[in-house]
Amino acid sequence: MTRSDGYLLENRQTEVHRQSGAHRQAEAHRQAEAAERLDAFTDLFDPTTFRHLEAVGVGAGWRCWEIGADGVSVVSWLAKKVGPTGKVLATGTDITRLAPTARPPVEVCAHDIDAEEPPEGGFDLVHARLPSLGMADRERAVRSMAGALRPRGHLLVEDTDPALQPLACPDEYGPEQRLANRLRQDLRKLPHGRGADLAHGRTLPRLLRETGLSEVRADACFPIAAPACAALESATVRLARDQLVTAGVATAQDIDRHLANVAAGILDLATAPMISAWGRKV
C-alpha cells in the first residue's frame, strides 16, 4: 500500500475471526481507505513525476520499467509517450490494480525487487516511487534499477522524507493545529512506526551517484493546503484509528475531533516532502 510518510500501516491485519462478518466489513473499509490514500497520493505527486519524466524526454520507442506500480496513472502516461513501438513493463508484488493496463505497449508482471534480479533486455528509463515498495534494502534496489539501464538510460527514483518536515500543520497557531501535529507524532509511535527510517528521501542523490550514474540531480515537492492533503490525512487517520486507540497513544475523542477539523477545512495540512532524484548511465 502506498505510504505518504514512509512508516505507516504495514502488516496490520488481525488473524482473529478472519471469517466473521464484522471482520469482512472492517476489511472492506480498510481497502476503501487504502484506495482513498492512493488516489490522494497520486493527485499530490503525479504532476511532479510527470514533469520529471517530460524533462528526461520519454518518447516513441522507449523501453520503460515502472517499479512498484500500485496505480495506473504513471503506467498509462508512459504508454502514451512510448507508443506502439515502445514498451512499458509495470511490476510489483501485488499487480491487482495494474490488470486493466495490461495491453500493448504495457506488460504487467509480478516482481519483487527485494528478492529477484531485474528483468533482462535493458531499459531507456527506470522509474520508482519508493513509498509504494516498502523495500527492505533500498541501496540494493537502487543498484538493481541502475543495472537494468541501457547505456545513456535514465533512472528516476522518488521517495518521501518525513524527518525533513514532520508536522501535519507547519503553521501551528491554535489548538486544532496542535492536535493535528500531536496525532501525526502519535502515528509514529505505533509498533510498525517505531525505529523506522524517516530520512530516506534525502539519501537518493548519494545512492544514485554510488551506482556510477552521471548527471545526478534532485529536487523536492512539499504539498501544503491542497485538497488532496486533507483527503490523505483523513484516510490515513481513519485507517490507523484502531491501532492508535489500542496502543493507547491517542483517544477516540481526539481522533474524532481531528477528523471533524479536517472535514471542516480549517487546517492547512501538509505531507512529507517527496524527493525526486535522477541520473543517467554513462
Side-chain angles (χ1 to χ4, degrees):
M1 184 184 71
T2 302
R3 296 165 292 150
S4 65
D5 264 356
Y7 60 91
L8 294 176
L9 310 175
E10 295 182 0
N11 302 317
R12 301 165 313 280
Q13 293 184 350
T14 177
E15 296 300 326
V16 179
H17 304 304
R18 291 186 59 86
Q19 300 306 316
S20 70
H23 175 76
R24 287 195 296 271
Q25 185 177 18
E27 180 64 12
H29 285 303
R30 188 194 71 81
Q31 292 178 358
E33 287 153 359
E36 188 176 331
R37 294 183 77 241
L38 175 61
D39 290 341
F41 190 85
T42 57
D43 284 348
L44 287 168
F45 295 115
D46 272 1
T48 296
T49 296
F50 297 156
R51 173 170 59 86
H52 288 302
L53 293 174
E54 286 278 13
V56 163
V58 181
W62 278 41
R63 284 177 50 87
C64 303
W65 180 18
E66 176 66 19
I67 304 172
D70 49 11
V72 303
S73 57
V74 177
V75 175
S76 299
W77 189 96
L78 288 171
K80 291 178 181 178
K81 288 292 183 178
V82 304
T85 60
K87 178 178 179 179
V88 178
L89 177 63
T91 66
T93 54
D94 181 358
I95 57 175
T96 305
R97 292 177 63 95
L98 291 173
T101 68
R103 56 184 178 273
V106 177
E107 177 184 348
V108 175
C109 179
H111 180 269
D112 184 355
I113 196 170
D114 274 336
E116 301 178 63
E117 293 298 314
E120 296 181 353
F123 297 91
D124 302 295
L125 168 76
V126 177
H127 171 252
R129 282 203 300 223
L130 296 191
S132 64
L133 303 183
M135 297 186 315
D137 186 344
R138 291 169 185 272
E139 293 185 15
R140 178 189 177 281
V142 171
R143 289 196 300 271
S144 181
M145 295 175 205
L149 293 172
R150 291 173 168 175
R152 306 302 292 167
H154 299 265
L155 174 60
L156 171 62
V157 188
E158 303 177 289
D159 206 349
T160 53
D161 198 310
L164 277 179
Q165 197 300 106
L167 301 176
C169 293
D171 184 14
E172 190 183 83
Y173 63 87
E176 296 86 359
Q177 290 72 28
R178 287 190 288 273
L179 174 60
N181 287 338
R182 178 167 65 80
L183 287 176
R184 179 68 62 87
Q185 296 304 314
D186 288 342
L187 284 168
R188 295 175 184 168
K189 297 175 184 177
L190 296 177
H192 294 290
R194 294 171 188 155
D197 178 11
L198 304 182
H200 35 69
R202 72 192 70 181
T203 68
L204 291 177
R206 171 175 56 83
L207 294 180
L208 266 62
R209 284 197 304 273
E210 289 176 352
T211 68
L213 297 184
S214 65
E215 305 172 32
V216 173
R217 301 288 187 273
D219 65 14
C221 174
F222 174 28
I224 184 170
C229 289
L232 184 61
E233 176 74 6
S234 177
T236 299
V237 172
R238 285 187 279 113
L239 195 56
R241 179 191 181 94
D242 290 345
Q243 285 183 282
L244 288 166
V245 174
T246 301
V249 297
T251 67
Q253 292 77 15
D254 283 344
I255 295 171
D256 288 342
R257 187 163 69 253
H258 175 59
L259 290 173
N261 292 337
V262 174
I266 61 175
L267 302 175
D268 293 323
L269 291 159
T271 70
M274 172 70 78
I275 296 179
S276 304
W278 60 95
R280 194 169 189 178
K281 187 171 184 177
V282 177

